[in-house]
Amino acid sequence: MHLTKFLLLSAATLAVAHPGEKHDPHVVKREIHARDALAARSKRGLDACATSEQATRLQQRNVARRARTVRELRSARGVTTSPKKWRRDSDDLAKWEAVNHNMTGLVDFTSETPESSVFGGNTSAILSPTITDGPYYVWGEVQRSNVKEDEYCDGVDVYLEVQYIDVNTCQPIPGAFVDIWNANATGVYSGISTSGNYAADGWDSTYLRGIQESDQDGVVTFETIFPGHYDGRATHTHLLTHLNASVHDNNGTLVVGTGSVAHIGQLFWNEVLRSAVEDTYPYTTNTQDITSNADDMWSIEQASSAYDPFPDYVYLGNDLKDGLFAWKQIGINVSADYTDNSYYSIAAYYDENGGHQNTDSAAFGGGSGSEGGMPSGSASGAIPSGTPM
């Protein structure tokens, strides 16, 4: 059940991110430059709306909600010791990565600590880079907040809150359907049974996968586990955002081919936290090679001078066994659509007949669109304002 090894990012070459995944390194490089230029142009507009009265009230609700969630989680788990928080500040991948630049400090906080100092991160709507969904995306996962199942889901519990913000208005995006998926503690994805990833129960397996609709504050929440690592990739959690999708009345799953794919992203986890998690069971049974964030091709593209790819998080107690609460705010352009982009590919479908491979897809050999092209809807020769690259 180990993933096949492949080339890592070098100083001159971008390599594949999963077995069979192909992206033209020259196109990827151009996209990074285009994305950074677009982010610079849109920064003034983002700064303006981020200080509006509506954005301020939203941030106040964010602080109150996150603090309430942690109190409820601690109470439900019977945790009475002081929780902890890793604090980070900086402006690019190398500096976001705390272990390399000593930007992480472990601090205790108590009931006397202002909630805003703990839960007030991500206060502005940052244009979030879009990157590959990898070759293991499954369409048709059921709507559920708790994606853990009885088997293959042992590990450090993570209660993840993700908030989606319209970068053009700094307002929340309700009604977005957000897919989540990540490898289990031994580095295996469910729903896929092919060379490089033979999941137990094969195409019918669904552990650590699910989809949620964002609420009026643009928030989705998932109960999952800290992802395991596998050869060639840094530890990460996948997210994919659908807008204006239709839902089947009988089972609540999305209707194939409806709506847009407005954002494809990955959350990364800093090395200090990853190392601490992997010192626990069953992560200690994972024999695959570890790839650092600095050596991962997609973490470098996901990070920008303004966008931190690592979620904020708190220990719910003094020990990882008590779990983590993590949160991230993601800014997207609601008019962007990556359905026909090479970053988007469907490896399998899960429907009333169970799971089955998408044999018509290029999921195991790149995406269905042009190599790393602009999202559909882009004007000829131009990038629409706010379109994440």
Side-chain angles (χ1 to χ4, degrees):
M1 301 194 332
H2 292 178
L3 295 177
T4 307
K5 286 188 176 182
F6 54 89
L7 297 176
L8 300 178
L9 178 68
S10 69
T13 304
L14 284 171
V16 294
H18 287 273
E21 185 178 8
K22 300 176 183 177
H23 295 283
D24 185 331
H26 301 291
V27 173
V28 172
K29 184 177 180 179
R30 288 200 301 270
E31 288 199 350
I32 294 173
H33 287 307
R35 181 202 70 195
D36 290 346
L38 175 62
R41 291 199 301 271
S42 62
K43 186 176 187 302
R44 282 177 296 182
L46 286 170
D47 288 344
C49 68
T51 58
S52 67
E53 182 179 353
Q54 287 180 314
T56 300
R57 289 200 300 268
L58 176 64
Q59 178 61 8
Q60 291 172 343
R61 294 198 299 275
N62 292 343
V63 169
R65 181 186 62 255
R66 293 164 184 165
R68 182 175 64 251
T69 299
V70 168
R71 288 194 297 270
E72 292 172 350
L73 288 172
R74 283 168 49 81
S75 176
R77 298 173 75 87
V79 176
T80 57
T81 56
S82 295
K84 299 177 179 180
K85 180 177 191 288
W86 296 99
R87 301 180 65 87
R88 297 168 289 94
D89 294 288
S90 198
D91 60 0
D92 58 30
L93 178 69
K95 294 179 182 178
W96 291 133
E97 181 44 72
V99 70
N100 291 337
H101 290 269
N102 197 27
M103 298 299 294
T104 293
L106 180 63
V107 297
D108 293 330
F109 66 89
T110 69
S111 58
E112 305 302 318
T113 306
E115 291 178 345
S116 59
S117 68
V118 179
F119 301 106
N122 303 321
T123 56
S124 63
I126 301 300
L127 185 67
S128 304
T130 285
I131 62 175
T132 181
D133 65 357
Y136 298 151
Y137 172 60
V138 176
W139 181 288
E141 299 299 346
V142 297
Q143 288 191 55
R144 57 179 179 174
S145 178
N146 186 351
V147 299
K148 296 189 302 179
E149 297 181 359
D150 292 339
E151 294 185 290
Y152 318 117
C153 295
D154 292 338
V156 173
D157 289 336
V158 174
Y159 301 88
L160 178 65
E161 173 194 293
V162 184
Q163 183 176 47
Y164 288 86
I165 300 293
D166 185 335
V167 294
N168 295 311
T169 65
C170 291
Q171 293 304 298
I173 303 173
F177 284 93
V178 180
D179 272 293
I180 188 174
W181 70 102
N182 58 255
N184 69 0
T186 56
V188 178
Y189 286 90
S190 69
I192 302 295
S193 182
T194 191
S195 178
N197 192 101
Y198 290 105
D201 299 332
W203 301 101
D204 290 332
S205 56
T206 59
Y207 58 85
L208 303 178
R209 292 181 182 270
I211 191 167
Q212 277 281 287
E213 183 178 9
S214 61
D215 65 16
Q216 290 302 305
D217 278 338
V219 171
V220 292
T221 58
F222 292 100
E223 182 177 349
T224 182
I225 67 166
F226 193 90
H229 72 269
Y230 51 89
D231 291 351
R233 284 302 318 277
T235 301
H236 61 282
T237 300
H238 289 272
L239 296 168
L240 190 147
T241 310
H242 312 262
L243 297 181
N244 303 310
S246 300
V247 179
H248 288 290
D249 293 334
N250 58 338
N251 59 13
T253 60
L254 299 190
V255 178
V256 175
T258 63
S260 63
V261 177
H263 185 258
I264 309 168
Q266 297 175 22
L267 299 180
F268 292 85
W269 305 88
N270 71 61
E271 301 289 352
V272 174
L273 176 60
R274 181 195 58 75
S275 296
V277 169
E278 290 187 344
D279 282 340
T280 67
Y281 180 84
Y283 299 91
T284 50
T285 68
N286 188 343
T287 61
Q288 300 187 66
D289 291 340
I290 294 174
T291 298
S292 71
N293 289 315
D295 288 333
D296 182 271
M297 69 172 294
W298 293 113
S299 64
I300 291 174
E301 187 178 353
Q302 182 78 99
S304 72
S305 61
Y307 182 74
D308 178 355
F310 304 119
D312 282 324
Y313 60 91
V314 294
Y315 279 48
L316 293 176
N318 261 334
D319 194 280
L320 281 170
K321 66 178 176 59
D322 295 319
L324 301 167
F325 173 67
W327 64 97
K328 189 65 183 169
Q329 187 179 82
I330 294 179
I332 64 176
N333 178 4
V334 297
S335 64
D337 188 359
Y338 287 84
T339 302
D340 294 325
N341 190 270
S342 69
Y343 282 169
Y344 177 62
S345 61
I346 300 173
Y349 293 95
Y350 189 82
D351 53 31
E352 63 275 10
N353 298 315
H356 53 92
Q357 183 177 358
N358 179 17
T359 56
D360 295 330
S361 172
F364 297 98
S368 57
S370 60
E371 287 286 353
M374 301 298 182
S376 65
S378 300
S380 177
I383 307 172
S385 175
T387 300
M389 294 303 301

